[in-house]
Amino acid sequence: MEALKAMKKFEVIGILFCLMQTNLWSNPQFTLPAGIPGVTVEMPPTGSRINCVRIPVPNTRCAIWFPQDGSQPSTADAGQWSCANDTNPEVTDWWVRVFGGNRAVTLSHAGVADTLPAPGMSGIGTHIIQINRADHHITSITYENCEILFWRTFRVVACDPVGRVLLYRLLIEIRRADTGDRWCCGDRIETNDDRNNLRSLSIMFSEDPFSFRYASHCINIDLNFTPAVSTLQFSSARHGVVVDQEECPLDVALFHEMLHWFHYLRHFDRVLSNKSPTGFKYALRCYYGDLSDLPLWGTTAPKEEDVATVLGSPNYEVPTLLAFMKSDAFSKLTDKNMLHIPASGSKIWVPISDRFFNGDDLSENAYRCSKHLHMRFGHNDLDTNSFDRNNLPLRYQFAWKVAVECYLAITQRPPDWWFLQPNGAIKL
């Protein structure tokens, strides 16, 4: 009898041990390197009530809050917890320091040398962003001037509320400790070595235009080249709104490439799988329905990723956004890999792996809204029809709405300068 009791006791202990191991094994965490003073685990004073890692910003009363489980918070929580709307330059310094260390802060603005603690945040003991001196190919600009210009451009992004939320979401992906079974922070989000190797990034000064290269872990920048992009513009000659080329500021181009970086870190397999011509492409279908004729997005580029980066992916759980989506944006087939979207009682689904994830609403247009710049639509300079400015196609109205909703969630105030009219989101 005693032996039987002992066996049962050990069975219970064994089960509890396995449960504990499973729990420990399956729960990711937001981690930090040693050497950061004042870090605590608390519930944030505003937003969702979850345990967060609290990091005080030196020389301020501000603190940055990160979900302890490494998950991506809602857009509104990300805006509050990243100090997105705080104009204190010390907060901007903190974000520059996190990605590039003391030298980055010193170079990003004229001032005394920065000496505050700056441990490497990449997970491999280095700073997250490193300037690659060996591949400097711009002969007309010295390497030192390129480095200064880059960090000053990065600082412009770090000063902006939408730019700061992008950096916040990047840091969560970079500092999250993955689980042993490689599934993390949301059903069907799988992490792998290709993704994890992107925790740090090199900046290459070259003669290539701005581009993100995930296989090389780098962003290429040509500082002799002013990129041009497709924006909405009013043409008096054609009596309507057209898509035409406009110069793109360096900080916008940098934000765009870093948003590609975030997409690969957030859901590496989804980005790669959506290059398949037969795959379900959520962002494309949201704006166009189940169509393939997309000349404004180029003929060879991976259109899904470009649309998601420029326009953002809408959150179908927001009724005001769902109302813009055509019924053929969704699938009418269902199985265990599909997620039902309760849209006015309609029987529509999306693949689970392609559903909306927190952070998908970030876009170049949301950043353009914050910077008082014109709205972008398209990836090349193909000629388009002109449209009555008071009767724009639904996809243009939808893209504007997605950007405005993201900006509003981050800043808690509507952009009263960015109406979908000339001299607002449309260039006059």
Side-chain angles (χ1 to χ4, degrees), residues 381-414:
D381 58 353
L382 289 179
D383 193 25
T384 64
N385 295 326
S386 61
F387 300 100
D388 186 325
R389 64 182 180 181
N390 295 316
N391 191 28
L392 289 174
L394 186 67
R395 61 185 179 272
Y396 291 175
Q397 300 176 48
F398 192 16
W400 175 84
K401 182 69 172 175
V402 171
V404 167
E405 289 291 332
C406 180
Y407 175 85
L408 175 61
I410 291 171
T411 64
Q412 300 299 302
R413 63 181 185 273

Side-chain angles (χ1 to χ4, degrees), residues 231-234 241 246 365 368-376 389 392 400 404 415-428:
T231 61
L232 297 186
Q233 304 180 30
F234 181 75
V241 175
E246 182 180 8
N365 273 341
R368 285 176 164 273
C369 171
S370 188
K371 301 290 293 184
H372 300 207
L373 298 171
H374 303 122
M375 176 176 154
R376 186 176 175 188
R389 64 182 180 181
L392 289 174
W400 175 84
V404 167
D416 55 6
W417 58 85
W418 214 64
F419 297 113
L420 197 54
Q421 292 289 332
N423 269 341
I426 300 174
K427 181 180 180 181
L428 182 61

